[in-house]
Amino acid sequence: MPFHPDAVSRAQAGDAAAREALLAAVTSPIQAFFRSRIGAAPEVDDLVQNALLRVHRGLDALQRPDRFKAFAMKAALFELQDFYRGRYSTREALFDPDLPTPGSVDADDVGLRLDLEAALATLTDHARTIIELRELGYPYAEIAETLDTTEAAVKMQVKRAFDKLRDVLADGTVQTLAVLVLAALAA
C-alpha cells in the first residue's frame, strides 16, 4: 500500500526511497486532479511539479501520516487556486522591440509612480502587507487567517489604508489615479 502510514513515517524520518515512492505514488492522482479541472492544458505538468514540491517540502510537518493522500491533494488544490488567481505565468514572454518592456513606464508616468510609491510608504508594514495580499487576489478571509486576525479587522485596515492614501494623494491627477488603483484593489 503506497500511502501506508508506516511508509510516510519512514519518509519523514529521512528514508529517501520511501519519500520517492510516496511522491511517485501520488503523482498520478494529482495529475488526474488537474486534468479534471483544466483539461489537457500545457500548464498541467507545471502544476503537478509544483504540487509535488509542496508535498516534498511540507512532508516533515505532516502530523497525521494516515492522511498523506489528503495532504497531497490539498497541496494540489492550493496550486490550482494559484493558477485560477493568475499567479502562473508559464509562458515565456517574447521580446517585441515595438512594445514597451514589462514594467517600463513613460516619462509622464514616472512622477505618478513615485507619488504612489511614496504614498504606500506612509502605511504601516501591517497595512501594506494587507494591501499587497489583497492586490495579489487573496480574499479577506484568507488574509485574516494568514495574519492571525479577523476578517473584520482586515477590512477595517483596508478602509483605513485607502483613506490615508486618498489624503496623501491629494493632487487632482494623482488622486484620480489612486482612486482607480484603490477601487481595483478593493474589488
Side-chain angles (χ1 to χ4, degrees):
M1 202 153 89
F3 305 124
H4 194 276
D6 291 338
V8 176
S9 295
R10 284 195 316 273
Q12 288 176 317
D15 184 341
R19 184 177 290 253
E20 197 169 312
L22 284 173
L23 293 174
V26 82
T27 299
S28 186
I30 289 175
Q31 193 171 45
F33 170 79
F34 288 124
R35 286 202 172 134
S36 72
R37 298 321 189 268
I38 64 171
E43 291 85 3
V44 167
D45 290 336
D46 291 336
L47 291 166
V48 170
Q49 290 302 311
N50 287 340
L52 290 174
L53 189 58
R54 278 185 191 240
V55 172
H56 173 72
R57 288 181 176 160
L59 184 60
D60 293 337
L62 179 63
Q63 295 179 1
R64 294 201 41 207
D66 60 320
R67 304 279 302 150
F68 173 75
K69 187 173 180 185
F71 167 74
M73 297 312 292
K74 191 169 187 178
L77 177 63
F78 288 152
E79 285 300 317
L80 186 65
Q81 288 172 341
D82 284 350
F83 175 75
Y84 285 148
R85 287 184 180 130
R87 293 191 194 134
Y88 266 80
S89 179
T90 57
R91 296 184 184 169
E92 289 184 27
L94 300 177
F95 176 72
D96 184 346
D98 297 328
L99 296 175
T101 56
S104 68
V105 292
D106 293 336
D108 297 337
D109 295 337
V110 173
L112 297 178
R113 176 170 280 184
L114 291 175
D115 287 344
L116 189 56
E117 287 175 6
L120 287 171
T122 65
L123 299 176
T124 65
D125 289 340
H126 184 70
R128 200 169 31 258
T129 300
I130 290 172
I131 296 295
E132 289 170 358
L133 289 172
R134 188 71 185 136
E135 192 274 332
L136 289 172
Y138 284 96
Y140 289 117
E142 244 180 276
I143 296 170
E145 185 178 330
T146 301
L147 299 176
D148 195 29
T149 188
T150 65
E151 189 173 340
V154 169
K155 287 179 180 179
M156 182 54 70
Q157 281 285 326
V158 169
K159 182 193 178 313
R160 288 179 181 159
F162 288 169
D163 290 345
K164 186 170 189 172
L165 289 174
R166 281 187 191 105
D167 291 343
V168 170
L169 299 168
D171 179 13
T173 306
V174 176
Q175 185 177 10
T176 303
L177 174 67
V179 169
L180 293 173
V181 169
L182 295 174
L185 289 174

